[in-house]
Amino acid sequence: MTPTVQQTMQPRQIATIAVTVLISCWVLFGIDKDTHKFADLFKPVNLAALVVYFTPTFAFCLVLFRTFSKKHNPIGSVTRSLLIGIPIGFLVVISLFLLYLKR
């Protein structure tokens, strides 16, 4: 039997997750056809969209990190939570937008 790795969330791990999710959001916005330069990412509309995308994705990544940290080491937990949480978080937000627009 292997012992479980029970750990608390360290500020460094939370910051790593937050910064990675933030950069991922900016990359997603950079792909948008209306974004032509870096300054466009800081327009009020894009900042509002950043909050809409960042908040649930960050929360989902934290939940996954907490789940993975019970059985895996900290680096592996952060990596797994980001690799799974970011795409799923974006898909959930985009799906909710599409469902709202379809109504």
Side-chain angles (χ1 to χ4, degrees):
M1 236 162 65
T2 60
T4 60
V5 179
Q6 186 66 29
Q7 62 188 56
T8 60
M9 287 191 188
Q10 304 272 329
R12 188 170 136 213
Q13 295 161 337
I14 294 171
T16 301
I17 292 171
V19 168
T20 306
V21 170
L22 181 66
I23 290 170
S24 299
C25 289
W26 279 338
V27 167
L28 181 67
F29 296 165
I31 295 171
D32 185 30
K33 63 179 175 151
D34 294 333
T35 305
H36 302 289
K37 49 190 167 182
F38 186 73
D40 291 342
L41 295 175
F42 298 100
K43 289 182 177 178
V45 143
N46 281 340
L47 291 177
L50 178 65
V51 171
V52 170
Y53 277 89
F54 176 82
T55 306
T57 304
F58 178 64
F60 192 66
C61 286
L62 286 180
V63 168
L64 285 174
F65 172 73
R66 190 159 174 88
T67 302
F68 291 140
S69 68
K70 293 177 183 175
K71 293 186 180 181
H72 303 287
N73 65 5
I75 295 172
S77 299
V78 169
T79 304
R80 284 179 182 90
S81 68
L82 291 171
L83 288 175
I84 295 170
I86 291 173
I88 291 177
F90 288 171
L91 284 173
V92 167
V93 172
I94 291 169
S95 298
L96 289 175
F97 277 136
L98 290 174
L99 285 174
Y100 177 76
L101 290 175
K102 216 171 200 183
R103 289 182 1 152

XYZ file of all heavy atoms in Angstrom:
819
model
N 0.823 -1.175 0.000
C 0.000 0.000 0.000
C 0.871 1.243 0.000
O 1.790 1.363 0.789
C -0.852 0.002 1.257
C -2.275 0.097 0.893
S -3.438 -0.336 2.058
C -3.634 0.437 3.368
N 0.568 2.176 -0.883
C 1.345 3.409 -0.911
C 0.644 4.459 -0.066
O -0.576 4.605 -0.120
C 1.491 3.929 -2.351
O 0.201 4.170 -2.873
C 2.237 2.944 -3.218
N 1.412 5.202 0.711
C 0.789 6.243 1.526
C 0.323 7.396 0.653
O 0.924 7.700 -0.374
C 1.915 6.677 2.466
C 3.170 6.310 1.757
C 2.843 5.112 0.915
N -0.748 8.032 1.063
C -1.241 9.180 0.316
C -0.473 10.428 0.726
O 0.002 10.548 1.844
C -2.746 9.410 0.579
O -2.926 9.652 1.970
C -3.557 8.230 0.125
N -0.351 11.334 -0.190
C 0.344 12.585 0.070
C -0.717 13.626 0.393
O -1.341 14.180 -0.498
C 1.176 13.019 -1.158
C 1.871 14.332 -0.899
C 2.150 11.948 -1.550
N -0.949 13.853 1.643
C -1.927 14.856 2.067
C -1.187 16.173 2.290
O -0.252 16.241 3.051
C -2.611 14.408 3.372
C -3.733 15.306 3.807
C -4.910 15.281 2.848
O -5.151 14.295 2.184
N -5.618 16.364 2.770
N -1.603 17.200 1.604
C -0.924 18.480 1.730
C -1.934 19.612 1.657
O -3.034 19.441 1.169
C 0.124 18.644 0.642
C -0.473 18.648 -0.749
C 0.592 18.624 -1.806
O 1.417 17.749 -1.810
N 0.564 19.565 -2.689
N -1.520 20.740 2.140
C -2.361 21.916 2.045
C -1.926 22.721 0.836
O -0.815 22.570 0.341
C -2.229 22.787 3.313
O -0.858 23.183 3.442
C -2.674 22.027 4.537
N -2.797 23.572 0.368
C -2.460 24.402 -0.772
C -1.462 25.466 -0.344
O -1.723 26.234 0.572
C -3.707 25.057 -1.337
C -4.594 24.130 -2.069
S -5.837 25.087 -2.932
C -6.879 23.808 -3.508
N -0.354 25.502 -1.017
C 0.677 26.490 -0.756
C 0.389 27.727 -1.609
O -0.123 27.606 -2.724
C 2.039 25.913 -1.143
C 2.367 24.622 -0.456
C 3.056 24.855 0.864
O 3.754 25.825 1.025
N 2.842 23.957 1.794
N 0.721 28.908 -1.116
C 0.518 30.120 -1.925
C 1.241 30.050 -3.274
O 0.745 30.553 -4.272
C 1.091 31.231 -1.057
C 1.018 30.709 0.331
C 1.179 29.224 0.235
N 2.390 29.409 -3.314
C 3.143 29.289 -4.562
C 2.387 28.453 -5.591
O 2.363 28.778 -6.781
C 4.500 28.668 -4.264
C 5.421 28.661 -5.432
C 6.817 28.261 -4.981
N 7.321 27.314 -5.947
C 8.112 26.320 -5.685
N 8.505 26.090 -4.449
N 8.532 25.531 -6.617
N 1.750 27.388 -5.142
C 0.986 26.534 -6.052
C -0.254 27.259 -6.560
O -0.600 27.172 -7.744
C 0.605 25.236 -5.356
C 1.809 24.393 -5.002
C 1.515 23.367 -3.935
O 0.588 23.518 -3.149
N 2.319 22.317 -3.901
N -0.918 27.980 -5.682
C -2.101 28.748 -6.073
C -1.708 29.836 -7.061
O -2.398 30.061 -8.066
C -2.795 29.340 -4.835
C -3.355 28.207 -3.965
C -3.911 30.296 -5.234
C -3.862 28.655 -2.618
N -0.598 30.516 -6.806
C -0.128 31.560 -7.716
C 0.243 30.980 -9.076
O -0.049 31.583 -10.117
C 1.064 32.291 -7.108
N 0.866 29.817 -9.092
C 1.222 29.162 -10.352
C -0.026 28.843 -11.160
O -0.078 29.086 -12.371
C 2.020 27.867 -10.090
O 3.196 28.194 -9.370
C 2.371 27.153 -11.372
N -1.034 28.320 -10.497
C -2.291 27.998 -11.167
C -2.949 29.280 -11.680
O -3.396 29.339 -12.832
C -3.226 27.213 -10.231
C -2.647 25.817 -9.972
C -4.636 27.105 -10.815
C -3.368 25.020 -8.899
N -2.983 30.320 -10.868
C -3.624 31.576 -11.259
C -2.930 32.202 -12.466
O -3.587 32.618 -13.428
C -3.631 32.548 -10.088
N -1.615 32.275 -12.436
C -0.870 32.892 -13.540
C -1.030 32.080 -14.820
O -1.220 32.641 -15.904
C 0.619 33.063 -13.155
C 1.463 33.414 -14.357
C 0.771 34.112 -12.077
N -0.987 30.771 -14.718
C -1.136 29.920 -15.899
C -2.525 30.051 -16.504
O -2.674 30.133 -17.729
C -0.835 28.453 -15.555
O 0.456 28.378 -14.935
C -0.858 27.579 -16.790
N -3.549 30.103 -15.662
C -4.916 30.271 -16.169
C -5.056 31.654 -16.813
O -5.670 31.793 -17.880
C -5.960 30.059 -15.048
C -7.349 30.472 -15.506
C -5.962 28.600 -14.611
N -4.475 32.671 -16.206
C -4.531 34.029 -16.761
C -3.863 34.086 -18.138
O -4.423 34.634 -19.093
C -3.864 35.016 -15.803
C -3.861 36.473 -16.227
C -5.277 37.018 -16.252
C -3.004 37.281 -15.272
N -2.690 33.502 -18.254
C -1.989 33.479 -19.540
C -2.796 32.684 -20.572
O -2.885 33.082 -21.736
C -0.566 32.913 -19.369
C 0.297 33.915 -18.584
C 0.068 32.598 -20.719
C 1.642 33.377 -18.145
N -3.407 31.607 -20.144
C -4.232 30.802 -21.053
C -5.433 31.599 -21.555
O -5.802 31.501 -22.732
C -4.717 29.532 -20.357
O -3.632 28.748 -19.966
N -6.028 32.384 -20.681
C -7.145 33.243 -21.095
C -6.681 34.258 -22.129
O -7.353 34.493 -23.133
C -7.763 33.951 -19.894
S -8.696 32.890 -18.786
N -5.525 34.869 -21.884
C -5.006 35.854 -22.838
C -4.679 35.203 -24.176
O -4.875 35.812 -25.224
C -3.795 36.566 -22.267
C -4.167 37.676 -21.330
C -5.348 38.346 -21.267
C -3.340 38.245 -20.314
N -5.310 39.281 -20.275
C -4.099 39.248 -19.679
C -2.054 37.997 -19.880
C -3.589 40.012 -18.645
C -1.544 38.766 -18.848
C -2.308 39.758 -18.232
N -4.168 33.981 -24.151
C -3.891 33.267 -25.404
C -5.204 33.008 -26.143
O -5.295 33.199 -27.363
C -3.132 31.946 -25.137
C -3.114 31.055 -26.366
C -1.715 32.238 -24.669
N -6.230 32.599 -25.415
C -7.537 32.378 -26.022
C -8.063 33.667 -26.640
O -8.580 33.660 -27.759
C -8.528 31.849 -24.978
C -9.940 31.540 -25.472
C -9.914 30.357 -26.439
C -10.852 31.257 -24.300
N -7.917 34.780 -25.955
C -8.372 36.061 -26.485
C -7.510 36.495 -27.665
O -7.994 37.164 -28.576
C -8.341 37.150 -25.414
C -9.281 36.895 -24.266
C -9.151 37.616 -23.097
C -10.283 35.947 -24.330
C -10.009 37.403 -22.034
C -11.128 35.713 -23.273
C -10.993 36.445 -22.115
N -6.234 36.148 -27.652
C -5.338 36.495 -28.749
C -5.704 35.794 -30.045
O -5.437 36.302 -31.135
N -6.319 34.635 -29.928
C -6.761 33.888 -31.103
C -7.971 34.574 -31.751
O -8.194 34.433 -32.943
C -7.108 32.438 -30.706
C -5.860 31.710 -30.228
C -7.746 31.675 -31.849
C -6.148 30.359 -29.609
N -8.700 35.335 -30.972
C -9.902 36.008 -31.462
C -9.564 36.921 -32.636
O -8.550 37.614 -32.630
C -10.526 36.813 -30.324
C -11.847 37.441 -30.699
O -12.563 36.871 -31.545
O -12.165 38.515 -30.148
N -10.450 36.961 -33.614
C -10.193 37.764 -34.816
C -10.222 39.265 -34.551
O -9.676 40.039 -35.327
C -11.197 37.412 -35.906
C -12.625 37.740 -35.532
C -13.587 37.396 -36.624
C -14.974 37.654 -36.068
N -15.934 38.014 -36.989
N -10.850 39.705 -33.451
C -10.923 41.134 -33.148
C -9.721 41.648 -32.367
O -9.614 42.840 -32.116
C -12.202 41.438 -32.356
C -13.449 41.191 -33.190
O -13.361 41.304 -34.432
O -14.497 40.869 -32.610
N -8.832 40.770 -31.974
C -7.642 41.168 -31.229
C -6.486 41.305 -32.210
O -6.037 40.327 -32.791
C -7.299 40.120 -30.153
O -8.444 39.926 -29.326
C -6.141 40.580 -29.305
N -6.035 42.547 -32.399
C -4.977 42.796 -33.370
C -3.643 43.118 -32.711
O -2.601 42.907 -33.296
C -5.376 43.942 -34.303
C -6.655 43.657 -35.033
N -6.749 42.716 -36.034
C -7.900 44.180 -34.896
C -7.994 42.673 -36.486
N -8.715 43.550 -35.811
N -3.688 43.652 -31.505
C -2.452 43.987 -30.800
C -2.629 43.689 -29.314
O -3.739 43.495 -28.831
C -2.044 45.432 -31.033
C -3.138 46.434 -30.825
C -2.727 47.803 -31.315
C -3.983 48.641 -31.354
N -3.834 49.938 -31.826
N -1.516 43.673 -28.612
C -1.521 43.314 -27.193
C -2.405 44.253 -26.372
O -3.073 43.828 -25.438
C -0.088 43.319 -26.657
C 0.020 42.832 -25.245
C -0.123 41.492 -24.947
C 0.257 43.718 -24.205
C -0.034 41.029 -23.644
C 0.349 43.273 -22.893
C 0.208 41.925 -22.619
N -2.451 45.517 -26.729
C -3.248 46.502 -25.985
C -4.742 46.182 -26.049
O -5.501 46.575 -25.150
C -2.981 47.907 -26.516
N -5.167 45.473 -27.089
C -6.581 45.100 -27.206
C -7.028 44.183 -26.068
O -8.215 44.129 -25.747
C -6.849 44.401 -28.541
C -6.733 45.347 -29.725
O -6.784 46.571 -29.516
O -6.575 44.849 -30.857
N -6.083 43.466 -25.472
C -6.437 42.566 -24.373
C -6.899 43.331 -23.132
O -7.538 42.755 -22.258
C -5.239 41.686 -24.010
C -4.779 40.707 -25.088
C -3.514 40.000 -24.638
C -5.862 39.709 -25.415
N -6.586 44.611 -23.053
C -6.925 45.396 -21.868
C -8.101 46.336 -22.093
O -8.338 47.237 -21.287
C -5.690 46.162 -21.384
C -4.579 45.245 -20.972
C -3.515 44.999 -21.818
C -4.628 44.581 -19.757
C -2.500 44.127 -21.456
C -3.624 43.707 -19.381
C -2.557 43.484 -20.234
N -8.830 46.153 -23.170
C -10.059 46.915 -23.385
C -11.100 46.438 -22.372
O -11.081 45.285 -21.937
C -10.570 46.702 -24.807
C -9.716 47.365 -25.855
C -10.307 47.150 -27.232
C -9.492 47.864 -28.276
N -10.024 47.630 -29.616
N -12.031 47.323 -21.988
C -13.034 46.942 -20.978
C -13.813 45.668 -21.316
O -14.071 44.850 -20.438
C -13.960 48.151 -20.928
C -13.101 49.293 -21.352
C -12.145 48.730 -22.364
N -14.149 45.489 -22.578
C -14.908 44.289 -22.966
C -14.068 43.033 -22.740
O -14.572 42.018 -22.252
C -15.352 44.426 -24.445
C -15.318 43.144 -25.200
C -16.718 45.034 -24.518
N -12.796 43.084 -23.085
C -11.933 41.922 -22.883
C -11.635 41.686 -21.411
O -11.474 40.543 -20.987
C -10.630 42.072 -23.676
C -10.811 41.748 -25.138
O -11.760 41.073 -25.519
N -9.925 42.247 -25.962
N -11.565 42.738 -20.619
C -11.357 42.555 -19.179
C -12.573 41.907 -18.529
O -12.440 41.069 -17.641
C -11.015 43.890 -18.516
C -9.645 44.466 -18.890
C -9.455 45.832 -18.235
C -8.530 43.526 -18.494
N -13.771 42.292 -18.991
C -14.987 41.649 -18.483
C -15.013 40.173 -18.888
O -15.358 39.303 -18.082
C -16.220 42.375 -19.003
N -14.630 39.899 -20.123
C -14.582 38.511 -20.583
C -13.523 37.728 -19.815
O -13.709 36.541 -19.531
C -14.296 38.468 -22.081
N -12.435 38.399 -19.459
C -11.387 37.745 -18.673
C -11.939 37.262 -17.334
O -11.665 36.145 -16.915
C -10.217 38.706 -18.449
C -9.060 38.171 -17.610
C -8.370 37.027 -18.324
C -8.076 39.282 -17.319
N -12.735 38.083 -16.695
C -13.339 37.690 -15.417
C -14.271 36.493 -15.626
O -14.250 35.539 -14.844
C -14.102 38.870 -14.774
C -14.907 38.423 -13.571
C -13.133 39.980 -14.392
N -15.054 36.530 -16.696
C -16.009 35.459 -16.970
C -15.291 34.140 -17.248
O -15.734 33.083 -16.800
C -16.931 35.845 -18.149
C -17.759 34.664 -18.619
C -17.824 37.013 -17.752
N -14.198 34.185 -17.975
C -13.453 32.965 -18.287
C -12.541 32.537 -17.140
O -12.411 31.361 -16.843
C -12.596 33.152 -19.553
C -13.365 32.950 -20.827
C -14.023 34.003 -21.446
C -13.421 31.705 -21.425
C -14.716 33.812 -22.626
C -14.114 31.500 -22.598
C -14.766 32.564 -23.194
O -15.460 32.365 -24.347
N -11.872 33.504 -16.522
C -10.867 33.181 -15.509
C -11.485 32.568 -14.253
O -10.989 31.564 -13.744
C -10.079 34.444 -15.132
C -9.080 34.221 -14.036
C -7.838 33.682 -14.320
C -9.379 34.522 -12.711
C -6.908 33.459 -13.311
C -8.468 34.306 -11.697
C -7.229 33.774 -12.006
N -12.553 33.157 -13.750
C -13.110 32.749 -12.455
C -13.503 31.273 -12.408
O -13.017 30.542 -11.539
C -14.285 33.661 -12.064
O -13.836 35.026 -12.102
C -14.812 33.339 -10.687
N -14.354 30.781 -13.309
C -14.705 29.354 -13.206
C -13.545 28.424 -13.550
O -13.407 27.352 -12.948
C -15.858 29.180 -14.203
C -15.840 30.366 -15.068
C -15.133 31.452 -14.347
N -12.691 28.841 -14.479
C -11.562 27.990 -14.851
C -10.581 27.869 -13.688
O -10.098 26.772 -13.379
C -10.861 28.549 -16.108
O -11.827 28.668 -17.153
C -9.740 27.639 -16.567
N -10.297 28.984 -13.037
C -9.406 28.978 -11.879
C -9.998 28.134 -10.751
O -9.301 27.306 -10.150
C -9.157 30.411 -11.410
C -8.303 30.527 -10.192
C -6.981 30.119 -10.214
C -8.810 31.056 -9.017
C -6.178 30.240 -9.081
C -8.026 31.180 -7.885
C -6.705 30.766 -7.922
N -11.286 28.300 -10.484
C -11.939 27.526 -9.423
C -11.902 26.034 -9.744
O -11.627 25.204 -8.863
C -13.381 28.001 -9.243
N -12.156 25.692 -10.987
C -12.135 24.280 -11.384
C -10.734 23.697 -11.237
O -10.572 22.568 -10.758
C -12.649 24.143 -12.824
C -12.945 22.733 -13.217
C -13.967 22.025 -12.613
C -12.195 22.096 -14.182
C -14.237 20.717 -12.964
C -12.447 20.786 -14.546
C -13.477 20.103 -13.931
N -9.717 24.465 -11.632
C -8.330 23.999 -11.488
C -7.966 23.799 -10.019
O -7.258 22.850 -9.665
C -7.361 24.974 -12.147
S -7.373 24.897 -13.945
N -8.443 24.690 -9.139
C -8.164 24.534 -7.712
C -8.820 23.280 -7.139
O -8.215 22.572 -6.332
C -8.628 25.762 -6.930
C -7.773 27.013 -7.065
C -8.361 28.147 -6.218
C -6.335 26.755 -6.672
N -10.045 23.011 -7.553
C -10.729 21.795 -7.092
C -9.979 20.552 -7.573
O -9.769 19.610 -6.804
C -12.197 21.785 -7.575
C -12.842 20.423 -7.365
C -12.995 22.864 -6.873
N -9.565 20.567 -8.819
C -8.799 19.438 -9.339
C -7.460 19.298 -8.619
O -7.036 18.181 -8.298
C -8.552 19.601 -10.842
C -9.738 19.328 -11.747
C -9.396 19.679 -13.184
C -10.163 17.878 -11.650
N -6.801 20.419 -8.343
C -5.529 20.359 -7.629
C -5.717 19.736 -6.254
O -4.950 18.886 -5.842
C -4.913 21.750 -7.492
C -3.704 21.762 -6.605
C -2.511 21.222 -7.042
C -3.775 22.268 -5.322
C -1.395 21.195 -6.223
C -2.675 22.254 -4.496
C -1.474 21.715 -4.943
N -6.750 20.161 -5.575
C -7.015 19.608 -4.240
C -7.284 18.108 -4.321
O -6.827 17.340 -3.468
C -8.181 20.340 -3.602
C -8.385 20.032 -2.162
C -9.187 21.145 -1.532
N -9.534 20.838 -0.185
C -8.783 21.117 0.859
N -7.648 21.730 0.683
N -9.171 20.816 2.069
N -7.998 17.688 -5.345
C -8.293 16.266 -5.534
C -7.022 15.481 -5.849
O -6.767 14.429 -5.257
C -9.311 16.084 -6.680
O -10.494 16.823 -6.359
C -9.654 14.629 -6.884
N -6.221 15.991 -6.768
C -4.999 15.291 -7.164
C -3.944 15.306 -6.071
O -3.124 14.391 -5.989
C -4.417 15.887 -8.444
C -5.250 15.622 -9.673
C -5.422 16.603 -10.629
C -5.858 14.396 -9.873
C -6.172 16.366 -11.757
C -6.618 14.148 -11.002
C -6.774 15.136 -11.944
N -3.923 16.337 -5.245
C -2.868 16.440 -4.231
C -3.013 15.385 -3.140
O -2.080 15.170 -2.376
C -2.847 17.837 -3.617
O -4.007 18.065 -2.854
N -4.145 14.720 -3.081
C -4.326 13.659 -2.097
C -3.531 12.410 -2.463
O -3.214 11.610 -1.597
C -5.809 13.318 -1.959
C -6.612 14.443 -1.354
C -8.074 14.104 -1.287
C -8.837 15.304 -0.735
N -10.271 15.078 -0.762
N -3.208 12.244 -3.761
C -2.529 11.026 -4.195
C -1.210 11.278 -4.913
O -0.457 10.344 -5.128
C -3.444 10.234 -5.125
C -4.665 9.691 -4.429
C -5.446 8.803 -5.353
C -6.672 8.285 -4.623
N -7.479 7.407 -5.441
N -0.943 12.500 -5.326
C 0.236 12.773 -6.137
C 1.085 13.874 -5.505
O 0.631 14.599 -4.619
C -0.182 13.191 -7.551
C -1.027 12.181 -8.247
N -0.523 11.002 -8.735
C -2.353 12.164 -8.511
C -1.500 10.306 -9.292
N -2.626 10.982 -9.164
N 2.302 14.021 -6.016
C 3.186 15.069 -5.518
C 2.715 16.450 -5.995
O 1.895 16.536 -6.902
C 4.630 14.794 -5.940
C 4.824 14.870 -7.443
O 3.931 15.211 -8.199
N 6.019 14.518 -7.877
N 3.217 17.535 -5.387
C 2.727 18.874 -5.721
C 2.898 19.264 -7.192
O 1.979 19.819 -7.796
C 3.553 19.800 -4.833
C 4.059 18.947 -3.733
C 4.168 17.568 -4.281
N 4.045 18.976 -7.777
C 4.272 19.365 -9.167
C 3.340 18.593 -10.097
O 2.738 19.165 -11.008
C 5.752 19.157 -9.559
C 6.635 20.104 -8.748
C 5.963 19.369 -11.048
C 8.111 19.865 -8.910
N 3.200 17.321 -9.862
C 2.295 16.515 -10.668
C 0.848 16.942 -10.511
O 0.088 16.952 -11.478
N 0.473 17.330 -9.298
C -0.897 17.776 -9.045
C -1.200 19.078 -9.770
O -2.269 19.230 -10.362
C -1.120 17.955 -7.546
O -0.932 16.739 -6.875
N -0.267 20.012 -9.724
C -0.467 21.296 -10.415
C -0.552 21.060 -11.920
O -1.445 21.582 -12.591
C 0.667 22.289 -10.075
C 0.622 23.512 -10.973
C 0.591 22.707 -8.620
N 0.358 20.253 -12.440
C 0.380 19.982 -13.878
C -0.909 19.308 -14.334
O -1.522 19.730 -15.325
C 1.587 19.091 -14.235
O 2.784 19.728 -13.782
C 1.670 18.849 -15.727
N -1.330 18.294 -13.625
C -2.570 17.588 -13.989
C -3.783 18.507 -13.906
O -4.654 18.473 -14.775
C -2.769 16.376 -13.090
C -1.901 15.206 -13.419
C -2.162 14.044 -12.458
N -1.301 12.926 -12.738
C -0.109 12.739 -12.200
N 0.365 13.613 -11.335
N 0.616 11.694 -12.516
N -3.851 19.300 -12.850
C -5.013 20.173 -12.686
C -5.082 21.210 -13.804
O -6.167 21.549 -14.268
C -4.993 20.853 -11.319
O -3.939 21.790 -11.221
N -3.937 21.699 -14.266
C -3.926 22.676 -15.354
C -4.247 22.027 -16.696
O -5.018 22.583 -17.493
C -2.574 23.384 -15.418
C -2.277 24.321 -14.253
C -0.837 24.795 -14.297
C -3.225 25.504 -14.244
N -3.656 20.863 -16.948
C -3.887 20.189 -18.230
C -5.335 19.747 -18.402
O -5.843 19.707 -19.523
C -2.955 18.989 -18.373
C -1.480 19.313 -18.617
C -0.648 18.033 -18.622
C -1.307 20.065 -19.923
N -5.992 19.427 -17.320
C -7.389 18.999 -17.394
C -8.333 20.181 -17.176
O -9.334 20.338 -17.871
C -7.669 17.889 -16.368
C -6.856 16.642 -16.725
C -9.155 17.552 -16.301
C -6.860 15.570 -15.659
N -8.005 21.038 -16.213
C -8.909 22.104 -15.807
C -9.084 23.227 -16.807
O -10.191 23.731 -16.987
N -8.016 23.640 -17.470
C -8.119 24.764 -18.404
C -9.014 24.434 -19.595
O -9.962 25.178 -19.877
C -6.725 25.262 -18.827
C -6.044 25.937 -17.634
C -6.817 26.230 -20.003
C -4.604 26.322 -17.858
N -8.781 23.330 -20.305
C -9.678 23.041 -21.435
C -11.131 22.826 -21.004
O -12.053 23.316 -21.659
C -9.112 21.758 -22.044
C -7.722 21.658 -21.551
C -7.683 22.374 -20.237
N -11.322 22.131 -19.905
C -12.693 21.883 -19.457
C -13.356 23.185 -19.000
O -14.527 23.438 -19.295
C -12.728 20.805 -18.362
C -12.374 19.458 -18.967
C -14.097 20.743 -17.696
C -12.296 18.323 -17.991
N -12.620 24.031 -18.299
C -13.167 25.321 -17.872
C -13.587 26.172 -19.054
O -14.673 26.762 -19.061
N -12.732 26.244 -20.074
C -13.070 27.014 -21.272
C -14.276 26.413 -21.991
O -15.160 27.135 -22.450
C -11.883 27.089 -22.227
C -10.770 27.987 -21.756
C -9.560 27.997 -22.426
C -10.909 28.831 -20.662
C -8.522 28.822 -22.020
C -9.880 29.654 -20.249
C -8.688 29.654 -20.929
N -14.309 25.086 -22.089
C -15.439 24.427 -22.755
C -16.756 24.689 -22.025
O -17.789 24.902 -22.658
C -15.189 22.931 -22.864
C -14.201 22.497 -23.938
C -13.919 21.006 -23.830
C -14.721 22.833 -25.311
N -16.713 24.681 -20.704
C -17.934 24.936 -19.932
C -18.429 26.365 -20.169
O -19.612 26.590 -20.419
C -17.698 24.671 -18.423
C -18.818 25.229 -17.571
C -17.533 23.177 -18.179
N -17.528 27.334 -20.123
C -17.924 28.734 -20.321
C -18.456 28.941 -21.740
O -19.507 29.556 -21.933
C -16.743 29.694 -20.031
C -17.085 31.112 -20.420
C -16.355 29.629 -18.562
N -17.752 28.417 -22.732
C -18.198 28.574 -24.117
C -19.535 27.867 -24.332
O -20.433 28.403 -24.993
C -17.124 28.042 -25.086
C -15.904 28.967 -25.046
C -17.664 27.929 -26.507
C -14.682 28.419 -25.751
N -19.707 26.692 -23.742
C -20.979 25.970 -23.870
C -22.122 26.738 -23.242
O -23.223 26.795 -23.803
C -20.875 24.593 -23.216
O -19.909 23.820 -23.858
N -21.868 27.344 -22.096
C -22.920 28.140 -21.453
C -23.284 29.357 -22.299
O -24.460 29.716 -22.400
C -22.481 28.564 -20.049
C -22.423 27.440 -19.026
C -21.847 27.950 -17.702
C -23.796 26.837 -18.797
N -22.290 29.994 -22.922
C -22.575 31.104 -23.830
C -23.426 30.639 -25.005
O -24.391 31.301 -25.383
C -21.287 31.729 -24.371
C -20.661 32.734 -23.460
C -19.294 32.727 -23.252
C -21.414 33.694 -22.813
C -18.694 33.647 -22.418
C -20.831 34.631 -21.979
C -19.474 34.612 -21.778
N -23.071 29.506 -25.586
C -23.822 28.993 -26.727
C -25.254 28.617 -26.339
O -26.190 28.879 -27.092
C -23.105 27.795 -27.342
C -21.803 28.115 -28.063
C -21.112 26.835 -28.512
C -22.048 29.032 -29.246
N -25.420 28.017 -25.173
C -26.773 27.688 -24.709
C -27.591 28.953 -24.459
O -28.778 29.008 -24.779
C -26.705 26.861 -23.421
C -26.291 25.413 -23.581
C -26.111 24.761 -22.202
C -27.313 24.660 -24.400
N -26.951 29.972 -23.926
C -27.653 31.237 -23.666
C -28.064 31.913 -24.981
O -29.167 32.423 -25.101
C -26.757 32.173 -22.849
C -27.380 33.518 -22.607
C -28.390 33.667 -21.667
C -26.962 34.627 -23.316
C -28.984 34.897 -21.444
C -27.541 35.862 -23.098
C -28.542 35.998 -22.155
O -29.131 37.219 -21.953
N -27.184 31.883 -25.970
C -27.488 32.521 -27.250
C -28.543 31.748 -28.028
O -29.266 32.334 -28.836
C -26.211 32.629 -28.095
C -25.177 33.619 -27.603
C -23.924 33.539 -28.465
C -25.734 35.034 -27.598
N -28.635 30.454 -27.799
C -29.609 29.626 -28.519
C -31.032 29.860 -28.023
O -31.978 29.589 -28.740
C -29.231 28.159 -28.347
C -29.486 27.346 -29.552
C -28.892 26.002 -29.390
C -28.737 25.423 -30.782
N -28.234 24.099 -30.763
N -31.185 30.336 -26.821
C -32.519 30.537 -26.245
C -33.293 31.585 -26.960
O -33.134 32.469 -27.521
C -32.420 30.926 -24.781
C -31.989 29.823 -23.931
C -31.916 30.140 -22.468
N -32.309 31.495 -22.135
C -32.822 31.847 -20.989
N -33.008 30.963 -20.069
N -33.138 33.060 -20.724
